[in-house]
Coordinates of all heavy atoms in Angstrom, one line a residue:
P169 N 29.2 19.6 25.9 CA 30.3 20.2 25.1 C 29.8 21.2 24.1 O 30.5 22.2 23.9 CB 30.9 19.0 24.4 CG 30.6 17.8 25.3 CD 29.3 18.1 25.9
S170 N 28.6 21.0 23.6 CA 28.1 22.0 22.6 C 27.8 23.3 23.3 O 28.1 24.4 22.8 CB 26.8 21.4 22.0 OG 27.1 20.2 21.3
I171 N 27.2 23.3 24.5 CA 26.9 24.5 25.2 C 28.2 25.2 25.6 O 28.3 26.4 25.5 CB 26.0 24.1 26.5 CG1 24.6 23.7 26.1 CG2 25.9 25.3 27.4 CD1 23.8 23.2 27.2
V172 N 29.2 24.4 26.1 CA 30.5 25.1 26.4 C 31.1 25.7 25.2 O 31.7 26.8 25.3 CB 31.4 24.0 27.1 CG1 32.8 24.6 27.3 CG2 30.8 23.5 28.4
F173 N 31.1 25.1 24.1 CA 31.6 25.6 22.9 C 30.9 26.9 22.5 O 31.6 27.9 22.1 CB 31.5 24.6 21.7 CG 32.1 25.1 20.4 CD1 33.5 25.0 20.2 CD2 31.3 25.7 19.4 CE1 34.0 25.5 19.0 CE2 31.9 26.1 18.3 CZ 33.2 26.0 18.0
M174 N 29.6 27.0 22.6 CA 28.8 28.2 22.3 C 29.2 29.3 23.3 O 29.4 30.4 22.8 CB 27.3 27.9 22.4 CG 26.4 29.1 22.2 SD 24.8 28.9 23.0 CE 25.2 28.9 24.7
E175 N 29.3 29.0 24.6 CA 29.6 30.1 25.5 C 31.0 30.5 25.4 O 31.3 31.7 25.7 CB 29.3 29.5 26.9 CG 27.8 29.3 27.2 CD 27.5 29.1 28.7 OE1 28.4 28.6 29.4 OE2 26.4 29.5 29.1
T176 N 31.9 29.6 25.0 CA 33.3 30.0 24.8 C 33.4 31.0 23.6 O 34.1 32.1 23.7 CB 34.2 28.8 24.5 OG1 34.2 27.9 25.6 CG2 35.6 29.2 24.2
W177 N 32.7 30.8 22.5 CA 32.6 31.7 21.4 C 32.1 33.0 21.8 O 32.5 34.1 21.4 CB 31.8 31.1 20.3 CG 31.6 32.0 19.1 CD1 32.5 32.1 18.0 CD2 30.6 32.9 18.9 NE1 32.0 33.0 17.1 CE2 30.8 33.5 17.6 CE3 29.4 33.3 19.6 CZ2 30.0 34.5 17.1 CZ3 28.6 34.2 19.0 CH2 28.9 34.8 17.8
Q178 N 31.1 33.0 22.7 CA 30.4 34.3 23.0 C 31.1 35.1 24.1 O 31.0 36.3 24.0 CB 29.0 33.9 23.6 CG 28.0 35.1 23.7 CD 28.1 35.7 25.1 OE1 28.5 35.1 26.1 NE2 27.6 37.0 25.2
S179 N 31.9 34.5 24.9 CA 32.5 35.2 26.1 C 34.0 35.4 26.1 O 34.5 36.1 26.9 CB 32.1 34.5 27.4 OG 32.6 33.2 27.4
F180 N 34.7 34.8 25.1 CA 36.1 34.9 25.1 C 36.6 36.3 24.8 O 37.7 36.7 25.2 CB 36.8 33.9 24.2 CG 36.9 34.4 22.7 CD1 38.0 35.0 22.3 CD2 35.8 34.2 21.9 CE1 38.1 35.4 20.9 CE2 35.8 34.6 20.6 CZ 37.0 35.2 20.1
G181 N 35.8 37.2 24.2 CA 36.3 38.5 23.8 C 36.6 39.4 25.0 O 37.6 40.1 25.0
S182 N 35.7 39.4 26.0 CA 35.9 40.2 27.2 C 37.2 39.8 27.9 O 38.0 40.7 28.3 CB 34.7 40.1 28.1 OG 33.5 40.5 27.5
A183 N 37.4 38.6 28.1 CA 38.7 38.1 28.8 C 39.9 38.4 27.9 O 40.9 38.7 28.4 CB 38.6 36.6 29.1
T184 N 39.7 38.3 26.6 CA 40.8 38.7 25.7 C 41.3 40.1 25.9 O 42.5 40.4 25.9 CB 40.4 38.4 24.2 OG1 40.1 37.0 24.1 CG2 41.6 38.7 23.3
L185 N 40.4 41.0 26.0 CA 40.7 42.4 26.2 C 41.5 42.6 27.5 O 42.4 43.4 27.6 CB 39.5 43.3 26.1 CG 38.8 43.4 24.8 CD1 37.6 44.4 24.9 CD2 39.7 43.8 23.7
I186 N 41.1 41.9 28.5 CA 41.8 42.0 29.8 C 43.2 41.5 29.7 O 44.1 42.1 30.2 CB 41.0 41.2 30.9 CG1 39.6 41.8 31.1 CG2 41.8 41.2 32.2 CD1 38.7 41.0 32.1
Y187 N 43.4 40.4 29.0 CA 44.7 39.8 28.8 C 45.6 40.8 28.0 O 46.8 41.0 28.2 CB 44.7 38.5 28.2 CG 44.3 37.3 29.1 CD1 43.2 36.6 29.0 CD2 45.2 37.0 30.1 CE1 42.9 35.6 29.9 CE2 45.0 36.0 31.0 CZ 43.8 35.3 30.9 OH 43.5 34.2 31.7
I188 N 45.0 41.4 26.9 CA 45.7 42.3 26.1 C 46.2 43.5 26.9 O 47.3 44.0 26.8 CB 44.8 42.8 24.9 CG1 44.6 41.6 23.9 CG2 45.5 44.0 24.2 CD1 43.7 41.9 22.8
A189 N 45.3 44.0 27.8 CA 45.7 45.1 28.7 C 46.9 44.8 29.6 O 47.8 45.6 29.8 CB 44.5 45.6 29.5
A190 N 46.8 43.5 30.1 CA 48.0 43.1 30.9 C 49.2 42.9 30.1 O 50.3 43.3 30.6 CB 47.6 41.7 31.6

Side-chain angles (χ1 to χ4, degrees):
S170 300
I171 291 176
V172 172
F173 182 82
M174 175 203 67
E175 291 192 328
T176 300
W177 177 86
Q178 192 266 342
S179 61
F180 83 95
S182 301
T184 299
L185 293 183
I186 296 175
Y187 280 115
I188 290 176

